[in-house]
Amino acid sequence: EAEGAAWIEVDHDGYGPRFSTLCRRRLYIDALGEDLRGEDVCEGRGGSHLVVRFHLHPRVDARIENVAGGETAVRLALPGGAVYRFFSVGGSLAIDDSVYLGRADIPERARQIVLTTPCAASLTRIKWALRQNGGEMASAE
């Protein structure tokens, strides 16, 4: 932690026996909680895909949009009117179906953000950022 901002680093080898892969995630959040950045890394033999999923609440409206520089982002509109943008570097960006299990015995249709990239023979990295009211990914790197 420094000046209210925090870095968290975690890893696991749960895919090691099957895919010979080590997964790491680094998270950063600023002091105001308005800038969340992440980096997902897989180290391994390659030949498969790194897929990172962000499951959304059913009431979040998610849409892919073009932003400055020809890049794409996901616009996330919350029921109260707040808008966030999700940016990524290093993988293809898509929105897919998901299921929300937040209420007992009542599965609900939901959406998820999906980042996908082929795994290299040594190291594969996807960076992403979630920012309230926009911003740009370039400043997250």
Side-chain angles (χ1 to χ4, degrees), residues 57 59-63 74-85:
H57 190 276
R59 296 188 322 182
V60 173
D61 179 48
R63 299 170 190 259
V74 177
R75 181 183 187 273
L76 302 167
L78 280 59
V83 174
Y84 290 79
R85 286 205 170 62

Side-chain angles (χ1 to χ4, degrees), residues 31-53:
L32 298 175
E34 296 175 350
D35 182 9
L36 173 65
R37 305 176 203 178
E39 176 182 76
D40 288 276
V41 176
C42 278
E43 297 178 48
R45 66 177 184 216
S48 59
H49 285 82
L50 171 58
V51 181
V52 182
R53 300 175 188 277

Side-chain angles (χ1 to χ4, degrees), residues 26-141:
R26 294 174 9 134
L27 298 172
Y28 165 85
I29 191 159
D30 72 344
L32 298 175
E34 296 175 350
D35 182 9
L36 173 65
R37 305 176 203 178
E39 176 182 76
D40 288 276
V41 176
C42 278
E43 297 178 48
R45 66 177 184 216
S48 59
H49 285 82
L50 171 58
V51 181
V52 182
R53 300 175 188 277
F54 298 88
H55 297 270
L56 305 172
H57 190 276
R59 296 188 322 182
V60 173
D61 179 48
R63 299 170 190 259
I64 293 180
E65 66 180 8
N66 293 319
V67 293
E71 298 295 321
T72 58
V74 177
R75 181 183 187 273
L76 302 167
L78 280 59
V83 174
Y84 290 79
R85 286 205 170 62
F86 181 94
F87 303 89
S88 66
V89 172
S92 65
L93 176 67
I95 298 176
D96 204 352
D97 292 329
S98 183
V99 176
Y100 176 72
L101 301 171
R103 294 191 288 167
D105 301 325
I106 306 174
E108 294 180 63
R109 293 177 58 105
R111 306 293 280 165
Q112 63 179 310
I113 299 169
V114 182
L115 305 176
T116 307
T117 192
C119 288
S122 58
L123 185 129
T124 303
R125 175 178 322 215
I126 291 179
K127 294 182 179 183
W128 51 267
L130 178 67
R131 298 219 174 80
Q132 189 171 13
N133 297 325
E136 293 187 20
M137 181 62 190
S139 62
E141 294 187 74

